[in-house]
Amino acid sequence: MQKYTNTAESQYIAPKGLEPISIMIVCTTVAALQQHLQQQQITRSKTGFVPTMGALHQGHLALIEQSLSLELFTICSIFVNPTQFNNPDDFAKYPITIANDIRLLESVGCHLLFLPSVQEMYPQGTQATRHYELGFLETVFEGSHRPGHFQGVCQVVHRLLNIVPCGKMLLGQKDYQQCMVLTQLVKTIPIATEIIIAPTVREADGLAMSSRNMRLNPEQRQQATAIYKAMQFIKSKLQPGDTTTLASNAAQQLLDAGFTSIDYVSLAHAHTLEPITDWDGSTPLVVLVAAFLGEVRLIDNYVI
Ligand code: AMP
């Protein structure tokens, strides 16, 4: 994997003048995090962990709130992981809003934020030392359109799970394939962490919340709602038999709405991600979408 630069680690500035709603511990090193957990006698089974890349929104906060509702000591990590970006420009432009993130985490009562630098996460460098066997999952959808992406995701989550002893890790269904990949990862490592998958949080107009939405201009933000509409269109018109025309009509709707290119609008088996082009009327389905509005790539999914 290539090395890209993003100054995420140097952009942390302690927010001034914030009125913390609750006191949240911020640890930037592994040693500080583990010392705190030890001192407070916080064990694995009592810990809920929400890994993120920051630029937090309500979708992330819902995961924090779910962990808190389970009465878990709740740890959020913010780390823009260089090894999972296959596009250097996407990495360089990934939004970083640390002061606001801290404010939001405190507002919901998150207990601890782990905010490591690239050096802290990858003391031996970002070069992969292990290949994760993901099989079929790495050959379809995000796997095929973003070569190396899931290897980078596994590399960082494996490292995080070695640093943060957590009984539960909370993930969003927004990243459907990633949830499947990480479910496979925790079985392979293996590690005693249960994965909880929470539903996608959407804006009122249906657009899935995403950190990348911040990069949309007002016109693109409006156009982005076409993804949800296209998924609803598929759901409403779905019939047993050939589904390729339906999927390509939905893709055309995105192009008509202003999307500049489409990676995929597809139906797949909801449990295996095997693409389905001829539906038997009973196989559980997920609609998967990835498309570009200018430089911004958006993904979404809808389980039928
Ligand atoms: P990210 O910061 O994009 O890497 O996302 C961190 C976690 O938040 C992942 O488990 C995502 O699936 C989850 N997440 C992101 N957006 C949403 C959303 N709109 N609804 C629910 N979960 C989300």
Side-chain angles (χ1 to χ4, degrees), residues 4-12 80 91-92 96 118:
Y4 306 126
T5 49
N6 179 303
T7 50
E9 73 276 20
S10 61
Q11 297 209 356
Y12 173 61
V80 185
F91 179 54
I96 294 169
V118 174

Side-chain angles (χ1 to χ4, degrees), residues 51-54 57 59-60 63 94 171-172 174-175 199-201 209:
T52 81
M53 296 205 297
H57 49 69
H60 298 113
L63 297 172
Y94 200 85
L171 305 173
K174 159 78 172 40
D175 296 280
T200 302
V201 178
M209 291 193 185

Side-chain angles (χ1 to χ4, degrees), residues 47 51 58 66 98 107 118 176 188-189 265 285-286 293 301 303:
T47 305
Q58 200 50 50
Q66 185 165 352
I98 295 296
S107 75
V118 174
Y176 195 89
T188 354
I189 308 177
V265 175
L285 291 178
V286 59
L293 269 171
N301 65 82
V303 176

Side-chain angles (χ1 to χ4, degrees), residues 18-88:
L18 278 183
E19 298 288 338
I21 294 166
S22 66
I23 294 169
M24 180 176 69
I25 308 290
V26 180
C27 298
T28 57
T29 65
V30 176
L33 169 85
Q34 293 182 339
Q35 190 186 20
H36 181 78
L37 296 181
Q38 217 169 6
Q39 274 170 357
Q40 300 298 315
Q41 299 182 336
I42 296 156
T43 57
R44 173 182 285 278
S45 64
K46 288 189 210 154
T47 305
F49 177 44
V50 179
T52 81
M53 296 205 297
L56 301 182
H57 49 69
Q58 200 50 50
H60 298 113
L61 298 184
L63 297 172
I64 304 285
E65 284 170 334
Q66 185 165 352
S67 171
L68 292 168
S69 74
L70 295 169
E71 299 189 353
L72 296 169
F73 181 84
T74 298
I75 301 177
C76 175
S77 66
I78 295 181
F79 179 63
V80 185
N81 172 36
T83 72
Q84 73 185 67
F85 285 83
N86 55 316
N87 174 347

Side-chain angles (χ1 to χ4, degrees), residues 153-228:
V153 169
C154 287
Q155 185 186 8
V156 74
V157 174
H158 189 174
R159 170 101 176 108
L160 284 167
L161 289 176
N162 281 334
I163 295 168
V164 182
C166 59
K168 294 187 170 54
M169 174 165 69
L170 294 96
L171 305 173
Q173 190 194 308
K174 159 78 172 40
D175 296 280
Y176 195 89
Q177 193 169 2
Q178 176 171 279
C179 290
M180 294 175 79
V181 164
L182 294 180
T183 302
Q184 196 162 311
L185 175 75
V186 297
K187 285 186 198 144
T188 354
I189 308 177
I191 204 147
T193 297
E194 181 194 339
I195 289 183
I196 297 181
I197 299 171
T200 302
V201 178
R202 298 181 179 281
E203 303 283 358
D205 58 15
L207 177 65
M209 291 193 185
S210 165
S211 306
R212 287 187 175 85
N213 294 351
M214 285 181 199
R215 294 183 54 204
L216 301 172
N217 65 34
E219 188 191 6
Q220 291 170 328
R221 169 64 187 81
Q222 193 49 42
Q223 293 165 332
T225 59
I227 294 186
Y228 187 68

